[in-house]
Amino acid sequence: MALTIYDISKKAGVSIATVSRVLNGSDSVKASTREKVLSVIEKYDYTPNAYARGMGLHSLRTVGLLCADSSDLYLAKAVYYLEQELHANGYESLLCCTGYELEDRQSYIKLILSKKVDSLILVGSHYVSNIEKENNYIRDAAKQVPVMLLNASYNCPNVYCTLCNDYASTFEATSSLIRAGIDDILYLYDSNSYSGTKKLSGYKAAMKSYKLADYAPFVNFYGGRTDQIESITNFIQDIADRGTTFHGVVASDDQLAVGAIKYAQKNGLRIPEDLSIIGYNNSMLTACCQPELTSVDNRLETMTHQLVQTLLRVLSGEEMPAESVFSGKLIKRSTTP
Amino acid sequence: MALTIYDISKKAGVSIATVSRVLNGSDSVKASTREKVLSVIEKYDYTPNAYARGMGLHSLRTVGLLCADSSDLYLAKAVYYLEQELHANGYESLLCCTGYELEDRQSYIKLILSKKVDSLILVGSHYVSNIEKENNYIRDAAKQVPVMLLNASYNCPNVYCTLCNDYASTFEATSSLIRAGIDDILYLYDSNSYSGTKKLSGYKAAMKSYKLADYAPFVNFYGGRTDQIESITNFIQDIADRGTTFHGVVASDDQLAVGAIKYAQKNGLRIPEDLSIIGYNNSMLTACCQPELTSVDNRLETMTHQLVQTLLRVLSGEEMPAESVFSGKLIKRSTTP
DNA sequence: GCTGTAAATGTAAGTGCTTACAGCTCCTAT
DNA sequence: ATAGGAGCTGTAAGCACTTACATTTACAGC
């Protein structure tokens, strides 16, 4: 059986209260006593029981990290940054890969709350198809702990949002192609998420502002797994085969854009002369393809940093802004003119 | 303040013991009593306090998931599969991205054990540079909970290993190039991990068995981040510029192999005529490049499944084999003849 | 009607920590 | 000499559960 605070107090010749004070860094312990206790702790390699501690402290310094799929290129990075930042501040992460089904997400949240996490971080925006319901259970969760949203916005007490202006970024990405003389621009997206709808609006607004409002045939939703490049390529091939012609592609993530590159290569199209392509997230994939992919950097590392800092301050009782919005940046590489 | 088991027992008109029994699914509760208690729990949306529970139960059905970097393409997939499989069996995952420093890994393990996880899963093999020390603290951890290693082998009580025969896979990958008439094969690797050394041995053995034992100039260690393709390309360029000529590349992961593809493209080399390339892990990158990458599938999903099944049985007291070894498979695509 | 047994439920003793409050020691100011 | 206070330490009461053991209840068998 593991050592308890009683064992340590006995070995150090003090009371458990004193050991506890040393553990919690109280300043009302004589230096010599502290030394003695610390040396005993060191010697016997004692670590306090986190659950007993949680009962006293009402916190286990653990947060729930929810995402649909932590193996997704983008979400994996988000999870990684968050975990690092949290750990650096003394918090651990309970990872939950909820999948995309609303009910699974909901039951996961209940489960995690029962583990008495100090906060809930929802990584990747929530899904618009059920936005009412999703918002409902976020609101319920927020009654218990602060809820942090990454890449989503929901105005609700105790919910804090950190996001990137995906509308503006996609507007800019689309506009840059239009300015280069391309007016038949395929918009490929993959998720009905909060940020997904923002991106779509950005694309539409850009098309509209250049009087290219009849963009309807160019908007296409890919419903498969974005890690299966081949099926993305087939998806685009289908679009082309059905008679839609396009000389530009704006995609909601890099995987879709890579699918477009492969499509071009299979059809002997030159990039960017015959087809210009812009991805999103500025992931490592941008460097894996040839030519290298122009992509929108949506400031993931900056956002995750901000999110955790906000959380820490909220937990320490500070009043914090409910929303922090950053600006994305178009990183030009070789798939655009 | 949140409801406690006392509140529920009062409202249901039973003792706290009965509520606790209902909560824990004991079968010695009359059906009608159970109904009554459950309806009260439902009505007041009560969730038991995890700290208190952890103290009584000595298990919160949580396991620690340690990996160096969950944003790595391969590790992210491993983490994802493990989390899914664990959750499906009622266990949650405490994610720890330890980085590659031994001391950080060690302190992380101590921390996680104090949270009273039911087991520790070390994802991705441990690092040979400090294998003695790393094994030491694995052994210590195994005194408290079963320790599961993915992609590593360490013979120690209460340590269970699930791995793929990376030696044989790399032997086969290398041999396939030799049989195609290539005898100057660059071996690129990136980590001094357990599986890394096995792969290296596989390469060397293949070279030796074809009497190409003077392979020394062809073995190269890349010490950077493998998500930075450009620096991998530069690394290979350096090797070539220093006078090593090679017509084949066997890499310890797909990122390195993609770097080789980009190197070939920048130098106008035809693939596979001038340079044949084999990656490892059979990740989505194999489909992102052109031509598509031949790669070794090391059966990640199968392994993670096996690992969790083994863990569950160990936790329920069954005697289980200390090591489960699977066979990898070379997936031929267009970067090899 | 009584006993014996099994099923259902309650009582109370942990579980390992935190912390309010009490107590002790030693010194200073009167 | 003595009250009072500062500095340090100990005692004990939580915290919200689990569970061994005790008790009650229900009912079959005689």
Side-chain angles (χ1 to χ4, degrees), chain A residues 55-94:
Chain A
M55 294 204 60
L57 291 173
H58 300 288
S59 162
L60 269 179
R61 295 184 77 85
T62 302
V63 315
L65 223 54
L66 270 85
C67 70
D69 173 359
S70 70
S71 76
D72 174 89
L73 215 53
Y74 181 74
L75 297 179
K77 267 245 175 306
V79 166
Y80 173 75
Y81 286 138
L82 288 169
E83 196 278 345
Q84 292 281 294
E85 186 92 18
L86 287 166
H87 179 66
N89 289 284
Y91 285 82
E92 304 315 318
S93 305
L94 213 42

Side-chain angles (χ1 to χ4, degrees), chain A residues 1-2 45-55 57-62 65 68-71 73 76-77 79-80 83-84 87 90-99 107-108 110-118 144 225-230 255 258 262 265-266 284-292, chain B residues 1-2 45 47-52 54-55 58 60-63 65 68-73 76-77 79-80 83-84 87 90-99 104 107-108 110-117 140 144 225-230 255 258 261-262 265-266 284-292:
Chain A
M1 202 54 208
D45 200 22
Y46 162 75
T47 41
N49 179 308
Y51 289 103
R53 232 169 165 197
M55 294 204 60
L57 291 173
H58 300 288
S59 162
L60 269 179
R61 295 184 77 85
T62 302
L65 223 54
D69 173 359
S70 70
S71 76
L73 215 53
K77 267 245 175 306
V79 166
Y80 173 75
E83 196 278 345
Q84 292 281 294
H87 179 66
Y91 285 82
E92 304 315 318
S93 305
L94 213 42
L95 175 66
C96 309
C97 305
T98 62
S107 76
Y108 235 131
K110 277 196 71 168
L111 177 72
I112 290 307
L113 286 176
S114 83
K115 301 226 170 179
K116 301 299 171 195
V117 291
D118 295 302
Q144 299 188 43
R225 296 199 47 147
T226 56
D227 59 353
Q228 304 192 334
I229 303 293
E230 195 185 342
Q255 291 97 300
V258 167
K262 305 279 293 189
Q265 288 169 340
K266 290 204 169 143
M284 70 174 294
L285 292 190
T286 58
C288 290
C289 43
Q290 185 71 18
E292 298 189 351
Chain B
M1 203 54 211
D45 199 24
T47 42
N49 179 307
Y51 313 140
M55 295 206 59
H58 301 290
L60 269 178
R61 296 182 76 85
T62 303
V63 315
L65 222 56
D69 174 359
S70 69
S71 76
D72 174 88
L73 216 51
K77 267 246 175 304
V79 165
Y80 174 74
E83 196 278 346
Q84 292 280 294
H87 179 65
Y91 285 82
E92 304 314 319
S93 305
L94 214 42
L95 176 66
C96 309
C97 305
T98 62
D104 295 338
S107 77
Y108 235 130
K110 280 193 65 169
L111 178 71
I112 290 306
L113 287 176
S114 83
K115 300 228 171 176
K116 303 298 168 199
V117 292
D140 287 348
Q144 299 189 42
R225 296 199 49 148
T226 57
D227 60 351
Q228 304 192 334
I229 303 293
E230 196 185 341
Q255 291 97 298
V258 167
I261 293 177
K262 305 279 295 189
Q265 289 169 341
K266 289 204 169 143
M284 69 174 294
L285 292 190
T286 58
C288 289
C289 43
Q290 185 72 17
E292 297 189 353

Side-chain angles (χ1 to χ4, degrees), chain B residues 232-242 263 266-267:
Chain B
I232 297 174
T233 305
N234 293 339
F235 177 74
I236 300 171
Q237 188 74 58
D238 266 7
I239 296 169
D241 290 350
R242 281 206 223 90
Y263 157 80
K266 289 204 169 143
N267 289 271

